[in-house]
Amino acid sequence: MATDTATPPSTSTSADEEQRGSGSCSSFWGKVLSGTKMTCSIVLILFSVVVVSVAIFTKQTVATAEYGVHPIVALCVFWFSMAWLAILEGGLNAMVGLQPIPKDLYKTSHHKAYLCTRAAHRGNQIERFIVGRQYLDLTIVFTTSFMVSAIDNAQVLGLPQIVNDIFLGGDLAVILCTIVFGQLVSVINCSHSMLDYINNWCMVASTYLALFVEATGILHAVYFVQIIFTKIANRNKHKKHKSKSNVLKRKQSDVMDGNSTSDANSDSHSETSRSRNNESSSSSSIPEELEPADMPLWKRIFFWVRVLFSLGISVLAVVVFVTALIGGNTTVRSEIPIPVSIVSLIILLLLGGFMEALQIALFAVKHLDQAKIEANPTARRNCHFIFKSGGYNEE
């Protein structure tokens, strides 16, 4: 009997040891795979930096070969653009993520960060900052592309032609440098140290410059689109509220008991107040120049003048682009049909806009309460999938 009862523990012990052994083995191979990917990534990005630098100094880029820009100037502009792009990319995420944090907590310890958030979090300023920053962001990207994009048939370091075509002709080297140094490094570091990341004078200057760019009105067409979508959303909410009110009224007419009637009335009042809150929150997203309560007339006129100015620029840009595309004056390959090029551009613009909005939204919901996330099932599922812990601040 003693022998029979002693046998199962030894069996379970050996099974546990086998499980720990297999776990350590999988952990070992996981570390090997992770180390291999990191090594390959470092080698690839260093190779891209060398290729781009050699192309600049041998005057095989658009700026140095076709426009006579000095190689040292082109190289300095390239790395300055990378540094500024990193500040803007990380700064945007920090600005959005710090919105629910009381500013008094870091007013003294991170005074420069406080100056940034004080300017960007006042009223609807965060939307204005996002608009202006996006213009600066794209300006930097196109400036970088102009400085380091290679000319046709560029060759460096005696590499095979296929390697030159991939890294220089296909701009893979420039893309990798821009993504790694200008975007990913800053976004990852900012996600862990938002206050420290924007606690510098470069970010303060970038914040006010972004707000100035937005104030010029060159991008005010986005507010016109925002107003249209807000009106549509408010109309749909009003229809839903009206249908719910009709249902509650029918319930009230069918209920004869006094307590039930009072409950129905309370439900009706709660639905009404909830609908009003939703409408007020939706209307608050409209630029304050359109809120007729106490806004001066000249501000609303000035706002619409800038909207019309921006719409005119946007229409002109579309006409110029389509004309150049039809005339074969773009870098699109001649084998690609014009309708395919236009549809591809629209799809890429929509995809790029969606990814930008998703990045901002993730930083915004990271510090929201659990209740606000749980109220939206789709957002809750997305947050659980991305953050693995619910996507909200559990403190």
Side-chain angles (χ1 to χ4, degrees), residues 95 103 106-107 111-123 125 207-208 211:
M95 289 291 197
K103 297 176 179 55
Y106 56 87
K107 180 178 181 180
H111 186 66
K112 301 179 188 67
Y114 168 76
L115 295 178
C116 295
T117 56
R118 185 185 64 177
H121 292 171
R122 184 172 58 249
Q125 290 287 87
T207 300
Y208 283 96
L211 294 174

Side-chain angles (χ1 to χ4, degrees), residues 75-145:
L75 188 65
C76 292
V77 170
F78 170 69
W79 286 111
F80 173 78
S81 301
M82 289 294 99
W84 194 12
L85 180 62
I87 291 174
L88 290 175
E89 284 289 337
L92 170 64
N93 298 324
M95 289 291 197
V96 175
L98 289 172
Q99 285 187 98
I101 308 300
K103 297 176 179 55
D104 294 337
L105 297 179
Y106 56 87
K107 180 178 181 180
T108 303
S109 60
H110 298 78
H111 186 66
K112 301 179 188 67
Y114 168 76
L115 295 178
C116 295
T117 56
R118 185 185 64 177
H121 292 171
R122 184 172 58 249
N124 290 335
Q125 290 287 87
I126 188 63
E127 296 180 1
R128 295 186 171 95
F129 169 78
I130 292 174
V131 171
R133 186 218 67 100
Q134 192 65 28
Y135 181 83
L136 295 177
D137 194 347
L138 295 179
T139 301
I140 293 172
V141 171
F142 283 109
T143 301
T144 302
S145 177

Side-chain angles (χ1 to χ4, degrees), residues 264-315:
N265 289 331
S266 63
D267 292 339
S268 175
H269 290 307
S270 63
E271 290 291 337
T272 304
S273 61
R274 189 181 299 112
S275 175
R276 290 176 179 175
N277 291 334
N278 291 334
E279 291 178 359
S280 63
S281 63
S282 300
S283 62
S284 63
S285 62
I286 300 178
E288 60 183 16
E289 287 85 350
L290 299 180
E291 296 177 358
D294 54 353
M295 187 60 57
L297 179 62
W298 69 269
K299 279 193 175 183
R300 276 177 276 169
I301 295 176
F302 183 51
F303 171 80
W304 280 109
V305 168
R306 289 181 291 175
V307 169
L308 295 176
F309 169 69
S310 180
L311 287 174
I313 294 178
S314 301
V315 172

Side-chain angles (χ1 to χ4, degrees), residues 145-163:
S145 177
F146 168 74
M147 287 295 172
V148 299
S149 292
I151 58 176
D152 295 335
N153 301 320
Q155 294 182 350
V156 296
L157 301 175
L159 297 171
Q161 188 59 40
I162 187 173
V163 178

Side-chain angles (χ1 to χ4, degrees), residues 4 6 40 42 45-47 71 104 111 126 144 158 164 191 200 207 210 232 235 241 243 303 321 339 352:
D4 295 336
C40 293
I42 293 174
I45 189 62
L46 291 179
F47 177 74
D104 294 337
H111 186 66
I126 188 63
T144 302
N164 287 311
S191 64
N200 57 81
T207 300
I232 294 174
R235 181 175 298 178
H241 168 65
S243 62
F303 171 80
F321 169 76

